[in-house]
Amino acid sequence: MDWVYLIAAGCCEVVGVTGFNQYANQHRRRGVLLVALGFSASLSLLYLAMDTISLGIAYAVFSGIGTVVSAIIGVLFWREHFSFRRMACIGLIVLSIVGLNLTGGH
């Protein structure tokens, strides 16, 4: 169940970052609400996940989900630059997270 919490925490972080982007670019008040809800939920879920998952693994997965999903959302919805190099680097982040998990850091 802790892994479910961790994945949900990473997804909630993306909600918070999306709120930052909405407020910064369009000054939508809804962005402030997304920031507050997204980050408070993400940190609460991260706390629950770390009951059995070590700090290094939990934070790597948490921030990796946030980084990868935010970059993909940026390309798909915010018209950020797409390149195969950028996607390859995102792939390296995913491989690094998988590598950390394979080292037995539970």
Side-chain angles (χ1 to χ4, degrees):
M1 188 67 180
D2 292 329
W3 282 97
V4 173
Y5 291 145
L6 185 57
I7 292 167
C11 292
C12 287
E13 181 191 20
V14 173
V15 171
V17 170
T18 300
F20 271 140
N21 194 43
Q22 280 190 355
Y23 188 74
N25 292 332
Q26 301 165 352
H27 299 291
R28 291 187 176 172
R29 284 193 249 176
R30 178 179 62 180
V32 175
L33 181 63
L34 288 175
V35 168
L37 293 175
F39 285 127
S40 61
S42 72
L43 293 176
S44 297
L45 290 164
L46 180 61
Y47 169 78
L48 293 172
M50 289 176 60
D51 188 40
T52 60
I53 302 171
S54 69
L55 169 69
I57 298 298
Y59 193 70
V61 171
F62 171 78
S63 61
I65 289 170
T67 302
V68 170
V69 176
S70 295
I72 292 169
I73 286 174
V75 168
L76 294 176
F77 297 105
W78 301 103
R79 295 186 180 107
E80 292 180 2
H81 177 69
F82 171 84
S83 72
F84 289 106
R85 287 182 190 169
R86 186 175 184 169
M87 292 301 124
C89 290
I90 289 172
L92 289 173
I93 292 169
V94 172
L95 286 175
S96 297
I97 293 168
V98 170
L100 277 172
N101 282 308
L102 292 176
T103 62
H106 300 275

